[in-house]
Amino acid sequence: MSRYFGTNGVRGVFTELTPELALRLSQAFGLWSGKEKILVARDMRLTGECLLSAVKSGLASVGCEVLDLGLCSAPGAELMLKKERGNGLIIVTASHNPPDWNALKFVDKNGITVSRERGEEIEKLMEKAALAKWDEVKPMRKVPYSAEQHAEAIEKTVDLNKIRKANLRLALDFGNGTSALYSDMFKKLAKVTAINSDIDGKFPGRPSEPSEPNVQNLVNLVKQGGYDAGFAWDGDADRFIAIDEKGNFIVGDKIFALSVLLKLRKEGGKSIATTVATSRAAEDIAKKYGAKTVYTQVGAPYLSEAMAKQDVAIAGEEVGGVIWRELSFAKDGPATAVKLMELMAEKPLSSWIAELPQYYNAKTKIHFSKEKKLEIIEKLSKTSKGKVNKLDGIRIDFEDSWVIVRASGTEDYIRIFAEARTKEKAEKLVKEYEKTVLAL
Ligand code: MG
């Protein structure tokens, strides 16, 4: 078992992810990456600069060449990794977590995010990290990140004229995060009203996660009328959600399904990748375009691994993260927004949503101890029949519905999530499996 690594890097409040730990993890990552050129970046969290200093020091102390991007979005940092041909990247960001949290996200030289399993290899090296000789410590370089470079790369992948001609009106909620760095890009492409656009590590406007309750100010703004859509991101700008022109919140599942539609309609593709907890709508659309769906464990690192290994045209997850392989293997929120604008240039967002396969969800969570939750999954794994996927928890697929029972990776819960053609059926499935789990 990993001691520090979670699903996506090492995460914690300041007393858990301390500068000392950041330094030791960075030394180990430096060794793991071959003591070569490593890029580093941070978001705007108050502990970001402090932790970044420890990260830089750790890397340099084992002989790495450190390139510092400074304040940067997560997808922007990953694009820079590719551009600078770095041997690795560490991003100091706690993504959608509360302001007192921070995290280190590690990315390898191929642009693949380091998963819990690969993180264990890095942890083992923590004991072996030896200082470089004094004259082998290399000077650090600043490579200031400019969102303009990322914007240019994004713009090359869409039909800019089509977007500009549509004269879209957008309400943007940057959530005081790094997505605000892209304000100029949106201003060039549409008529924009922005809220929470001051980059601020205290997140004064709203919590970082762009969930429905957290973006009600944006919903209300769009409901006042006069907008084609509302867009919102999380703190490091890899997650993205939208509000349609009528003020309806569009969940991440649907953003991904629309992204699949756009990608396959335009360029075709052999397969798509998504997690076992994502709506079947994406698979339905892929099927329509002759592409198969590769399912992965829940977590962005597994999607980027699938992207690198297989013939996958696009990947995404239910929280509103889409990976566009023409840019990087990172979930790219600003790119997803601009791609969606290309669709909106044809017809209103609500019409696109109406065209998607309609599914309804239900979910619940049951409290169990750490040992008990794993024991239950094990038991359920033995008793489940039919089309069962055991990649991450137990997912059982039926004719036009499915249910997944998973042990939470970070909390002492079993989560049950179901999807069906009607709300009633989804709720019934959740109740049924809740009963099964409680009887185990
Ligand atoms: Mg994020």
Side-chain angles (χ1 to χ4, degrees):
M1 275 296 276
S2 60
R3 179 154 174 224
Y4 302 112
F5 270 80
T7 312
N8 191 354
V10 179
R11 216 163 271 245
V13 294
F14 197 48
T15 48
E16 294 163 348
L17 177 57
T18 61
E20 290 91 333
L21 179 60
L23 181 128
R24 289 177 56 226
L25 283 163
S26 303
Q27 286 177 322
F29 181 72
L31 288 188
W32 188 78
S33 311
K35 301 188 196 176
E36 302 208 32
K37 183 160 81 178
I38 308 291
L39 281 76
V40 298
R42 65 168 177 95
D43 70 12
M44 64 293 150
R45 285 167 193 272
L46 302 191
T47 55
E49 273 193 286
C50 173
L51 289 171
L52 185 70
S53 299
V55 164
K56 287 164 68 174
S57 189
L59 289 168
S61 71
V62 294
C64 294
E65 184 193 352
V66 178
L67 270 63
D68 183 0
L69 298 167
L71 182 70
C72 189
S73 74
E78 299 215 24
L79 189 78
M80 292 302 286
L81 171 69
K82 206 159 118 181
K83 276 201 168 165
E84 294 286 338
R85 297 212 174 95
N87 285 80
L89 163 71
I90 301 179
I91 314 174
V92 181
T93 174
S95 188
H96 56 283
N97 291 134
D100 52 335
W101 284 65
N102 218 329
L104 306 185
K105 272 191 195 177
F106 300 86
V107 185
D108 76 9
K109 65 172 189 290
N110 298 316
I112 303 170
T113 313
V114 174
S115 63
R116 185 193 298 265
E117 292 78 7
R118 292 168 83 209
E120 280 178 33
E121 295 168 21
I122 296 172
E123 286 182 12
K124 279 182 195 146
L125 293 175
M126 287 172 81
E127 307 310 321
K128 293 181 187 150
L131 291 182
K133 279 201 233 143
W134 68 273
D135 57 352
E136 284 169 5
V137 175
K138 298 182 182 79
M140 298 187 194
R141 267 205 288 147
K142 277 208 182 333
V143 183
Y145 171 67
S146 108
E148 230 168 81
Q149 291 182 65
H150 188 190
E152 272 170 29
I154 293 170
E155 285 166 3
K156 273 186 198 146
T157 70
V158 291
D159 186 340
L160 272 189
N161 280 334
K162 187 172 154 186
I163 292 175
R164 284 209 191 97
K165 268 192 211 150
N167 290 317
L168 296 170
R169 291 148 307 168
L170 301 177
L172 306 179
D173 179 355
F174 295 123
N176 305 109
T178 54
S179 55
L181 296 168
Y182 300 82
S183 170
D184 287 346
M185 173 180 81
F186 288 105
K187 279 184 194 154
K188 277 199 298 180
L189 299 176
K191 194 169 181 314
V192 163
T193 304
I195 57 172
N196 303 322
S197 46
D198 294 329
I199 294 180
D200 188 332
K202 287 185 178 161
F203 295 93
R206 65 160 167 88
S208 177
E209 187 177 5
S211 61
E212 189 167 3
N214 289 349
V215 298
Q216 282 308 306
N217 286 342
L218 179 67
V219 169
N220 291 332
L221 181 62
V222 174
K223 275 186 179 160
Q224 285 167 19
Y227 295 103
D228 293 297
F231 290 167
W233 297 262
D234 72 341
D236 62 340
D238 58 357
R239 288 190 186 191
F240 162 77
I241 60 88
I243 317 288
D244 76 11
E245 75 283 1
K246 295 172 185 164
N248 297 307
F249 181 85
I250 303 170
V251 291
D253 274 328
K254 292 194 172 169
I255 302 280
F256 179 52
L258 276 182
S259 303
V260 170
L261 186 148
L262 174 71
K263 179 81 181 179
L264 296 181
R265 188 184 72 160
K266 208 171 165 185
E267 298 160 28
K270 283 191 179 152
S271 60
I272 67 159
T274 192
T275 76
V276 285
T278 307
S279 169
R280 209 193 258 176
E283 183 181 340
D284 291 354
I285 290 168
K287 221 177 248 169
K288 211 174 117 191
Y289 288 94
K292 71 174 174 56
T293 300
V294 177
Y295 281 99
T296 72
Q297 278 170 267
V298 177
Y302 305 111
L303 289 176
S304 74
E305 280 173 13
M307 205 68 169
K309 269 189 222 151
Q310 311 193 26
D311 204 350
V312 172
I314 185 168
E317 58 182 352
E318 79 288 356
V319 291
V322 183
I323 302 177
W324 302 89
R325 73 172 309 133
E326 58 272 37
L327 290 161
S328 72
F329 292 161
K331 296 182 294 179
D332 192 327
T336 309
V338 176
K339 304 268 191 184
L340 207 61
M341 288 165 74
E342 197 178 305
L343 281 180
M344 285 163 52
E346 287 176 38
K347 60 184 175 193
L349 196 46
S350 66
S351 313
W352 282 110
I353 296 295
E355 271 183 32
L356 295 177
Q358 288 301 312
Y359 287 104
Y360 297 86
N361 309 323
K363 63 180 169 185
T364 190
K365 59 180 184 181
I366 318 169
H367 192 273
F368 283 108
S369 71
K370 199 174 259 168
E371 298 74 32
K372 186 78 184 162
K373 69 180 182 186
L374 298 174
E375 197 186 307
I376 284 179
I377 296 296
E378 184 73 32
K379 276 188 189 163
L380 189 67
S381 158
K382 283 178 189 148
T383 52
S384 298
K385 291 193 182 73
K387 200 182 163 201
V388 182
N389 184 323
K390 297 180 185 175
L391 253 184
D392 193 343
I394 311 293
R395 169 166 164 157
I396 305 148
D397 272 84
F398 308 101
E399 181 67 32
D400 58 359
S401 61
W402 57 272
V403 61
I404 187 165
V405 182
R406 286 181 67 234
S408 163
T410 49
E411 296 168 290
D412 291 335
Y413 287 113
I414 293 251
R415 294 180 192 280
I416 305 174
F417 180 92
E419 184 180 77
R421 288 289 188 184
T422 64
K423 187 87 189 154
E424 295 70 37
K425 178 123 188 247
E427 281 166 1
K428 206 177 135 211
L429 262 175
V430 164
K431 284 227 171 71
E432 194 185 317
Y433 275 81
E434 189 176 12
K435 242 188 190 170
T436 309
V437 164
L438 288 171
L440 282 172

